[in-house]
Amino acid sequence: MEVHIAKTQQELERAATVLVQLRPAFNIASLCEQIIQQQKQGYQVAFVELDGRVVCVAGFTVNLKLAWGKSIYVDDLVTDSDTRSVGAGKHMIEWLKTYAKNEGCREIHLDSGVQRYGAHRFYLREGFNITSHHFVLNNVSD
């Protein structure tokens, strides 16, 4: 398994075929457009490739926060539904840890929807801790 950061439109489109499984409100084209906008603010897309196929994708940013110092925030993390339990997610987490260390980050953070029980088991198994609740104030522009 190899991890790559999507740098070309073709790599982004390949990663988007898996990422859209986590973000079904998008199609491949609209997802790529959104990612390109977010890349202007530091968003990066990493993907695990196995036998020439994208099997896991992580979208993340490197941030500097008062609460956490320099850290990685994982916005999106998904393994292809057809290739779960082959170690791709674990491989991605290990890669993110190495990337974080190389960037001088102290921590890796992510949020996960309360209904994603399988993902929670995975994150806990990989050493993540549940440290807060995430609150949202919707419709502020209405």
Side-chain angles (χ1 to χ4, degrees), residues 83-101:
T83 56
R84 294 216 169 106
S85 300
V86 299
K90 181 175 185 55
H91 192 74
M92 178 63 79
I93 295 298
E94 291 303 317
W95 182 87
L96 285 165
K97 288 178 186 177
T98 300
Y99 190 89
K101 288 176 190 172

Side-chain angles (χ1 to χ4, degrees), residues 111-132:
D111 287 321
S112 181
V114 295
Q115 77 285 2
R116 298 189 69 227
Y117 304 113
H120 302 164
R121 283 191 300 276
F122 169 74
Y123 298 138
L124 291 168
R125 192 171 56 244
E126 293 305 311
F128 284 82
N129 296 307
I130 300 170
T131 60
S132 69

Side-chain angles (χ1 to χ4, degrees), residues 33-53:
E33 287 176 25
Q34 180 66 34
I35 290 171
I36 289 167
Q37 292 303 309
Q38 289 181 215
Q39 284 176 325
K40 295 174 185 172
Q41 298 175 11
Y43 183 81
Q44 298 181 71
V45 175
F47 60 94
V48 175
E49 196 169 38
L50 177 63
D51 298 327
R53 181 175 175 200

Side-chain angles (χ1 to χ4, degrees), residues 4-12 39 44-45 47:
H4 307 279
I5 293 181
K7 296 187 186 294
T8 67
Q9 183 69 27
Q10 182 184 19
E11 289 174 329
L12 188 58
Q39 284 176 325
Q44 298 181 71
V45 175
F47 60 94

Side-chain angles (χ1 to χ4, degrees), residues 18-22 55-58 76-80 84 116:
V18 174
L19 190 52
V20 76
Q21 293 176 28
L22 181 65
V55 295
C56 183
V57 177
D76 309 289
L77 178 58
V78 61
T79 299
D80 181 63
R84 294 216 169 106
R116 298 189 69 227

